[in-house]
């Protein structure tokens, strides 16, 4: 189950997976200190989970390894600049400020008080849960000399405050245990029922505060001035500076808005390295052609890993350089339904020859033999692991 969950995370966001690995390593360390009797068995299970994660993600990992010297890695930041003062973290949590990313909510303050009063009555498991959560809450702060880790592999996490999400999980687990204990102790008599009612009302008020804050953001959000006829270039040049900070987006708006955000934030994570210097022409979706006059009548759209677009080529240009990143020719290109060869342009995008004036372009990932084999292995491992889990879980 650990391998399956982490595999889904790795397939979704690499940096979140790295954060989870660091957290799991810390949990393993805590466990071995408190329960050395099962050190070998638990360690072997962690190793088995790691092996399964690799096997379940073979296609991605092999592809990523081959491209890692070709692409631009995520932007690195000074780690200390994206931490928080621990006192401020506690104040934000006490205020139950759900809007801030450096807040753990009032429940965090509650469980600190609860474990202080009832420490000896709390089972070892939940003491460890609290210990892990409390330690992670320190990791996000400037108590840790994060500057010492700049220019090291750890800098890849970008923001130590990413651990807030993991910390919240342990806060929730311990809070559930604490409230179960409280309710169990105060059942039966009327005064106890009144106490439980007041406690539940207090919790409800706190959650209502959070929902109100979120709802306020939603109510203040505006529909951005984006229409289906607006190109990314027009969006950036005439609209980007006026866009509100928080937006409601329809699905059709997202590709152009993401490009606009990329322009505004100077983001080229995972781009081919030599494409970064051509960022503006690529993001604004400029088509370079031999004689000029080539424009999109339908901008590139990606669905189910297939990219489609329509180009009007008024000048009979023979060579077109379209603003779609070229990852070492890993696609099949079809021009008006005909398979067409292409090369990488000087800006690291797709370049091909055509005499057509109206071009329906389609890009399909190459399903090579190696790709099919790796994908099949991953699928088989998932199936076998799932069957083994349900068959052997009692053991």
């Amino acid at each position: 189950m650990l391998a399956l969950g982490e595999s889904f995370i790795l397939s979704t966001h690499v940096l979140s997976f790295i954060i989870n690995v660091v957290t799991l390593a810390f949990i393993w360390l805590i466990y071995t200190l408190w329960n050395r009797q099962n050190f070998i068995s638990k360690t072997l299970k962690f190793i088995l989970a790691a092996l399964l994660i690799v096997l379940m993600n073979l296609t991605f990992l092999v592809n990523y390894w081959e491209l890692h010297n070709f692409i631009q890695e995520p932007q690195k930041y000074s780690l200390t600049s994206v931490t928080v003062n621990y006192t401020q973290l506690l104040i934000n949590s006490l205020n139950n400020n759900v809007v801030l990313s450096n807040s753990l909510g009032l429940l965090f303050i509650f469980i600190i008080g609860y474990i202080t009063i009832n420490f000896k009555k709390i089972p070892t498991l939940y003491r460890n849960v609290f210990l892990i959560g409390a330690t992670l809450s320190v990791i996000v702060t400037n108590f840790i000399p994060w500057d010492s880790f700049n220019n090291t592999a750890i800098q890849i996490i970008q923001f130590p405050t990413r651990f807030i999400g993991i910390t919240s999980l342990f806060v929730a687990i311990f809070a559930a245990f604490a409230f179960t204990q409280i309710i169990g102790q105060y059942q039966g008599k009327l005064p106890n029922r009144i106490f439980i009612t007041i406690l539940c009302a207090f919790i409800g008020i706190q959650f209502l505060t959070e929902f109100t804050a979120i709802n306020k953001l939603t109510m203040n959000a505006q529909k951005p001035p984006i229409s289906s006829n607006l190109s990314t270039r027009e969006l950036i040049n005439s609209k980007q500076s006026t866009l509100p900070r928080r937006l409601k987006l329809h699905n059709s708006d997202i590709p152009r808005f993401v490009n606009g955000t990329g322009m505004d934030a100077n983001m080229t994570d995972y781009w081919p390295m030599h494409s970064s210097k051509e960022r503006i022409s690529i993001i604004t979706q400029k088509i370079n052609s031999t004689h000029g006059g080539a424009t999109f009548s339908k901008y590139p759209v990606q669905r189910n890993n297939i990219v489609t677009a329509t180009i009007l080529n008024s000048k009979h240009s023979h060579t077109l350089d379209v603003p779609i990143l070229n990852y070492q020719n890993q696609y099949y290109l079809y021009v008006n339904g005909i398979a067409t060869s292409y090369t990488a342009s000087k800006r690291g995008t797709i370049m091909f020859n055509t005499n057509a004036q109206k071009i329906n372009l389609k890009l399909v990932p190459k399903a090579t033999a190696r790709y099919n084999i790796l994908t099949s292995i991953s699928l088989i491992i998932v199936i076998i692991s799932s069957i083994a889990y349900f068959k052997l879980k009692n053991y």
Side-chain angles (χ1 to χ4, degrees):
M1 291 302 290
L2 173 62
L4 190 62
E6 291 299 327
S7 295
F8 284 138
I9 293 173
L10 178 57
S11 300
T12 307
H13 191 228
V14 175
L15 295 185
S16 293
F17 172 77
I18 294 172
I19 292 289
N20 277 13
V21 169
V22 173
T23 304
L24 288 169
F26 179 70
I27 292 174
W28 170 82
L29 180 62
I30 293 294
Y31 186 88
T32 56
L33 291 175
W34 258 265
N35 194 344
R36 298 180 185 179
Q37 181 179 356
N38 295 323
F39 169 78
I40 295 178
S41 63
K42 291 297 182 183
T43 301
L44 289 175
K45 287 183 179 180
F46 265 111
I47 293 173
L48 176 60
L51 176 62
L52 290 175
I53 290 169
V54 171
L55 293 175
M56 289 178 184
N57 289 272
L58 273 178
T59 308
F60 166 73
L61 291 174
V62 171
N63 203 35
Y64 186 83
W65 176 254
E66 288 189 345
L67 289 174
H68 80 281
N69 288 325
F70 174 77
I71 61 177
Q72 184 155 310
E73 296 293 345
Q75 184 176 350
K76 294 180 180 180
Y77 299 87
S78 172
L79 293 173
T80 302
S81 67
V82 280
T83 56
V84 61
N85 180 280
Y86 200 81
T87 302
Q88 190 60 52
L89 174 68
L90 295 176
I91 292 173
N92 292 342
S93 300
L94 188 62
N95 291 332
N96 209 40
N97 195 335
V98 71
V99 179
L100 297 176
S101 61
N102 51 4
S103 168
L104 288 166
L106 194 60
L107 282 179
F108 182 60
I109 305 300
F110 165 78
I111 66 173
I112 291 175
Y114 183 85
I115 199 166
T116 302
I117 297 171
N118 301 283
F119 184 80
K120 292 183 179 180
K121 300 178 182 178
I122 296 173
T124 301
L125 171 63
Y126 288 99
R127 288 184 191 177
N128 291 342
V129 167
F130 173 81
L131 177 61
I132 294 169
T135 303
L136 290 173
S137 74
V138 173
I139 286 178
V140 307
T141 70
N142 53 15
F143 278 172
I144 304 297
W146 283 108
D147 274 342
S148 303
F149 300 104
N150 287 335
N151 302 317
T152 69
I154 295 177
Q155 197 176 13
I156 192 71
I157 68 173
Q158 294 182 320
F159 319 117
T161 47
R162 290 183 189 274
F163 283 100
I164 285 283
I166 303 288
T167 308
S168 297
L169 173 64
F170 290 95
V171 170
I173 293 172
F174 189 90
F177 160 76
F179 282 116
T180 301
Q181 294 296 103
I182 291 171
I183 292 173
Q185 292 173 6
Y186 289 93
Q187 287 179 345
K189 297 181 180 180
L190 181 60
N192 294 340
R193 292 179 183 174
I194 294 174
F195 172 79
I196 293 173
T197 302
I198 294 173
L199 180 63
C200 292
F202 174 74
I203 297 170
I205 291 171
Q206 295 308 312
F207 280 114
L208 181 62
T209 302
E210 295 183 17
F211 286 127
T212 301
I214 294 172
N215 187 56
K216 186 177 180 180
L217 289 176
T218 305
M219 294 298 291
N220 289 338
Q222 303 175 36
K223 176 69 173 66
I226 305 174
S227 70
S228 59
N229 298 320
L230 200 61
S231 72
T232 307
R233 178 194 293 272
E234 292 167 332
L235 169 65
I236 294 168
N237 291 342
S238 62
K239 302 292 184 181
Q240 181 65 21
S241 61
T242 63
L243 289 177
R245 182 173 176 80
R246 299 184 184 277
L247 307 169
K248 289 181 179 178
L249 295 174
H250 294 302
N251 286 342
S252 59
D253 298 326
I254 289 174
R256 287 184 296 279
F257 182 72
V258 167
N259 278 356
T261 304
M263 171 68 78
D264 188 53
N266 192 28
M267 290 174 58
T268 55
D269 293 353
Y270 306 111
W271 281 36
M273 287 183 181
H274 52 284
S275 297
S276 299
K277 60 180 179 295
E278 300 289 342
R279 182 177 62 89
I280 293 177
S281 69
I282 295 171
I283 289 180
T284 54
Q285 298 177 326
K286 179 183 178 182
I287 300 175
N288 293 333
S289 56
T290 307
H291 305 293
T295 58
F296 283 114
S297 63
K298 178 184 175 185
Y299 286 89
V301 174
Q302 178 176 325
R303 286 197 179 94
N304 300 323
N305 288 335
I306 297 175
V307 178
T308 57
T310 303
I311 300 172
L312 295 180
N313 187 17
S314 61
K315 298 289 186 180
H316 293 281
S317 297
H318 290 280
T319 302
L320 295 182
D321 168 12
V322 294
I324 298 175
L325 300 175
N326 187 340
Y327 290 92
Q328 298 184 340
N329 296 355
Q330 292 194 7
Y331 328 96
Y332 293 114
L333 171 65
Y334 297 90
V335 175
N336 295 332
I338 300 173
T340 304
S341 61
Y342 64 94
T343 58
S345 69
K346 291 182 179 180
R347 57 179 183 168
T349 51
I350 288 176
M351 185 168 65
F352 60 95
N353 296 323
T354 181
N355 293 321
Q357 286 188 282
K358 183 177 181 181
I359 302 162
N360 291 314
L361 181 148
K362 183 177 181 181
L363 283 165
V364 181
K366 291 180 179 178
T368 62
R370 188 190 67 178
Y371 174 88
N372 291 332
I373 291 171
L374 293 176
T375 302
S376 298
I377 291 173
S378 296
L379 182 59
I380 290 170
I381 292 297
V382 170
I383 294 172
I384 291 176
S385 299
S386 300
I387 294 173
Y389 170 74
F390 288 107
K391 290 288 186 181
L392 305 176
K393 64 180 180 180
N394 292 330
Y395 300 96

